[in-house]
Amino acid sequence: SYDRVPLPAEKLVGTIDLVSQFISPAFADLGVLDPGQCTREFSVFDGRLRVDAKVSHRKSYANSALRGMRYKGPLMHCTVRIRPVGGHREGDMLSKVADKGDTDIWVAPVLGGRFYIPVRVRVPTPVGTAELVARKLRVVPAQEQQKAGLGG
């Protein structure tokens, strides 16, 4: 669309989709709560918008519980700084959120620490802070999904 920041095709190379950013593979050579597990940079493309994201470690918790959630266990508090690259409109909500500062994400290791998934997300917005907290965390092994007819 003519009112969007241009997004050249070469800016799409090496991007991941929006859903994939929420399931982070662990670095095998690092411990489950090692700050390096949070230290990442990636590019996201959702079909229209392209952003760069830089993730940094803030704090690790060996045994933590989040308010409103039954999960108790290891958590890492990471921050994410996003920078719109293209496909967005100047001054749109994405730009305003990026200008407000870091998004806070608390991630929990799953599947023996091979992956991390967010269990709490706090996003600054122009009108206040939006927060999402998982109420339940359950990882279903592929074999169980197949038995239940849920997996492929």
Side-chain angles (χ1 to χ4, degrees):
S1 175
Y2 68 90
D3 61 338
R4 294 185 179 275
V5 174
L7 183 58
E10 63 269 12
K11 294 286 186 182
L12 302 179
V13 176
T15 60
I16 62 172
D17 64 274
L18 193 56
V19 174
S20 295
Q21 77 173 349
F22 289 109
I23 303 171
S24 302
F27 295 115
D29 57 334
L30 299 176
V32 171
L33 293 175
D34 188 290
Q37 297 287 11
C38 270
T39 307
R40 304 165 186 259
E41 292 185 35
F42 50 89
S43 301
V44 175
F45 177 62
D46 73 354
R48 178 177 280 182
L49 308 172
R50 160 79 160 70
V51 300
D52 284 338
K54 182 177 182 176
V55 185
S56 303
H57 179 266
R58 180 161 287 169
K59 190 171 182 178
S60 294
Y61 305 90
N63 192 11
S64 185
L66 289 178
R67 193 177 64 244
M69 186 180 164
R70 291 185 223 155
Y71 174 81
K72 289 180 175 69
L75 287 174
M76 280 195 297
H77 180 181
C78 308
T79 59
V80 181
R81 171 70 57 145
I82 62 168
R83 184 180 64 83
V85 173
H88 64 289
R89 292 182 174 98
E90 288 292 344
D92 67 1
M93 185 61 80
L94 176 66
S95 301
K96 290 175 183 175
V97 167
D99 290 343
K100 291 297 274 181
D102 294 341
T103 293
D104 290 295
I105 298 180
W106 288 260
V107 296
V110 296
L111 298 173
R114 294 193 319 253
F115 293 92
Y116 292 87
I117 60 171
V119 293
R120 182 180 189 181
V121 179
R122 188 180 297 157
V123 182
T125 74
V127 295
T129 301
E131 184 171 75
L132 170 73
V133 178
R135 297 203 54 217
K136 186 175 182 181
L137 175 61
R138 180 173 170 236
V139 178
V140 180
Q143 299 90 330
E144 287 183 37
Q145 288 180 19
Q146 289 172 347
K147 285 179 190 174
L150 300 173

